Amino acid sequence: MNFELNENQKMIAQMVRDFSEKEIKPNMKKWDDEEIFPVETIKKIGELGLLGIYIPEIYGGSGFGYFEYVTALIELGKVCGGIGLSVAAHNSLCTGHIYYHGSEDQKKKYLPKLASGEWIGAWGLTEPNTGSDAMRMKTVAKKDGDHWVLNGSKNWITHGLSGDITVVLVRTGELLDSNGITAFIIEKGTPGFSAVKIKDKFGVRASETAELIFDNVRVHESNVIGEVGMGFKQAMQILDGGRISIAALSCGVARGAYEASVKYAKEREQFGQPIANFQAIGFKLADMATQVEAAELLTFQAADLKNRKQSLTKEGAFAKLYASEVAVKCGNEAMQIMGGYGYTKEYPAEKFLRDARLMTIGEGTSEIQKIVISREILK
């Protein structure tokens, strides 16, 4: 395995850094304080080709692989976890689901708009009472001629309010039947389809989260993704790739916290010298650096398998579990290193910690990752 960044990765990393300096850093405190989802900024990211980064050019994407995708998310995570989360959810969930499982007509209709950033995508699996236990979902669809009628709700949906289209997983068969769930594409403005913004989140506050409500929503059968009843299996495959996204974002948040800690430790003086000279601080930085490197290696290992179309259930869970936990550790250590200043919004540690905390929860909690890993290694 070649550990050097390829030329495309170097180009993308620099492009994201330049964009972040100009468009994200000057505004992210306001977005975070006021829970603003900056739609226009996300669309600009689409203009850079980062909202369809691994979508083939024939569908309007950039045609890169998962190494480039991971690199972009790491760079975004170093600056703002909320923006990074939105880019990750758009790419790996909504856009990815249509790309990997949609019909040719669906790909041609939706992917160019999603890849360009003209449209923002959402993806709905979780419900108010079913998080990890998705098989017990209560949102249902009943066939009515050449349409399906959907009723129920979904919760914690990224871009649920602003998304132009939503890929939603709905029960079309019996409860607990893995062949009884179907994926539908629903366009914004469809009668009976509405959303309510979820407010007062702890972190990733620049990324929009909403509850989706389906009240006799009629969806034409042409908007079914793949075969009826195959939605759950599709979703599990999508989540395998999605875990790479969260792992990459976690690596970015962790590295951002680590780099901010190094800078602070070199500048902050106590007892007549920079605190970086004290072993207590130096050892913290050494642990952070080692853990970030290990998390990135696990993440790129999973990305390599994705590029080669190999099974990555175990490796994706490895990366997501470890990187997300490292992000929390690095955010926490950054706050400790910065002391009282780290506890204020004037310094970046508290935001890194708040943004990191979601990574151990979203797209499968750390506990779920351990279930996945244990099942894989005990097969």
Side-chain angles (χ1 to χ4, degrees):
M1 183 176 177
N2 184 354
F3 294 98
E4 294 182 4
L5 297 181
N6 63 42
E7 290 304 313
N8 288 332
Q9 286 175 276
K10 293 176 183 177
M11 177 269 292
I12 288 170
Q14 189 59 56
M15 180 176 69
V16 174
R17 290 186 201 117
D18 292 342
F19 182 85
S20 296
E21 287 293 330
K22 181 181 178 182
E23 301 285 347
I24 299 178
K25 286 184 179 180
N27 301 301
M28 66 182 189
K29 187 177 187 305
K30 179 179 176 65
W31 298 338
D32 184 69
D33 288 345
E34 301 178 23
E35 289 192 284
I36 295 171
F37 175 51
V39 174
E40 292 308 312
T41 301
I42 298 298
K43 289 183 179 293
K44 289 180 181 179
I45 292 174
E47 292 171 4
L48 296 178
L50 299 181
L51 293 186
I53 193 165
Y54 60 80
I55 301 300
E57 294 179 32
I58 59 170
Y59 300 122
S62 298
F64 293 123
Y66 256 66
F67 287 164
E68 291 82 2
Y69 177 44
V70 165
T71 299
L73 288 179
I74 288 174
E75 292 298 330
L76 286 169
K78 285 163 60 176
V79 180
C80 179
I83 298 300
L85 179 64
S86 280
V87 172
H90 176 96
N91 271 288
S92 66
L93 298 180
C94 178
T95 305
H97 200 138
I98 295 172
Y99 171 57
Y100 289 114
H101 299 287
S103 67
E104 192 63 23
D105 286 344
Q106 289 168 344
K107 292 177 185 179
K108 289 178 178 177
K109 180 177 181 180
Y110 294 112
L111 290 181
K113 292 181 179 180
L114 290 166
S116 67
E118 178 185 348
W119 279 13
I120 293 173
W123 191 81
L125 175 64
T126 301
E127 296 185 359
N129 294 308
T130 60
S132 301
D133 189 12
M135 290 283 288
R136 295 182 189 272
M137 66 173 60
K138 295 181 179 179
T139 302
V140 298
K142 301 293 184 182
K143 196 74 161 56
D144 181 18
D146 58 0
H147 283 74
W148 288 84
V149 181
L150 279 61
N151 282 284
S153 63
K154 296 289 179 179
N155 212 18
W156 311 114
I157 308 305
T158 303
H159 307 151
L161 198 65
S162 297
D164 295 281
I165 67 165
T166 301
V167 173
V168 62
L169 286 300
V170 179
R171 185 157 58 84
T172 51
E174 296 300 316
L175 192 69
L176 300 179
D177 181 4
S178 62
N179 294 313
I181 294 173
T182 302
F184 294 87
I185 299 172
I186 305 177
E187 296 187 21
K188 188 175 184 177
T190 300
F193 179 40
S194 60
V196 179
K197 183 176 180 178
I198 295 173
K199 300 178 180 179
D200 297 325
K201 293 185 300 181
F202 181 65
V204 292
R205 289 161 62 90
S207 181
E208 178 186 273
T209 310
E211 179 181 7
L212 305 180
I213 300 168
F214 308 91
D215 183 8
N216 290 317
V217 177
R218 295 181 65 82
V219 181
H220 193 268
E221 60 187 6
S222 62
N223 276 27
V224 171
I225 300 180
E227 297 180 18
V228 172
M230 294 302 292
F232 185 78
K233 294 178 181 178
Q234 294 171 9
M236 293 305 100
Q237 293 173 18
I238 292 301
L239 287 173
D240 276 350
R243 286 167 185 153
I244 299 176
S245 301
I246 300 301
L249 183 55
S250 298
C251 288
V253 173
R255 185 165 287 282
Y258 160 69
E259 291 179 355
S261 298
V262 171
K263 182 177 184 295
Y264 182 88
K266 288 180 176 180
E267 295 173 351
R268 172 69 167 172
E269 291 191 0
Q270 291 288 274
F271 306 101
Q273 58 184 309
I275 63 171
N277 291 350
F278 297 110
Q279 193 175 73
I281 301 300
F283 279 11
K284 286 182 182 296
L285 296 173
D287 284 341
M288 293 166 76
T290 303
Q291 291 164 0
V292 171
E293 289 289 327
E296 290 182 355
L297 287 171
L298 282 172
T299 302
F300 277 108
Q301 173 184 254
D304 178 58
L305 291 171
K306 183 71 172 176
N307 281 340
R308 293 190 285 116
K309 298 180 173 60
Q310 302 293 312
S311 174
L312 57 93
T313 299
K314 179 177 66 177
E315 290 78 8
F318 279 161
K320 199 274 185 185
L321 171 63
Y322 187 75
S324 63
E325 295 290 343
V326 164
V328 174
K329 289 177 183 177
C330 286
N332 194 51
E333 289 288 50
M335 181 176 287
Q336 194 70 18
I337 289 168
M338 295 182 194
Y341 291 111
Y343 204 66
T344 71
K345 288 193 173 186
E346 182 181 354
Y347 284 73
E350 62 86 32
K351 184 176 186 298
F352 283 126
L353 180 56
R354 287 190 291 109
D355 287 350
R357 199 62 190 83
L358 176 71
M359 308 308 162
T360 64
I361 300 171
E363 295 202 35
T365 63
S366 291
E367 291 74 19
I368 289 295
Q369 303 313 310
K370 291 178 182 180
I371 290 174
V372 171
I373 293 166
S374 63
R375 285 176 178 170
E376 288 294 311
I377 64 179
L378 293 172
K379 277 184 177 179

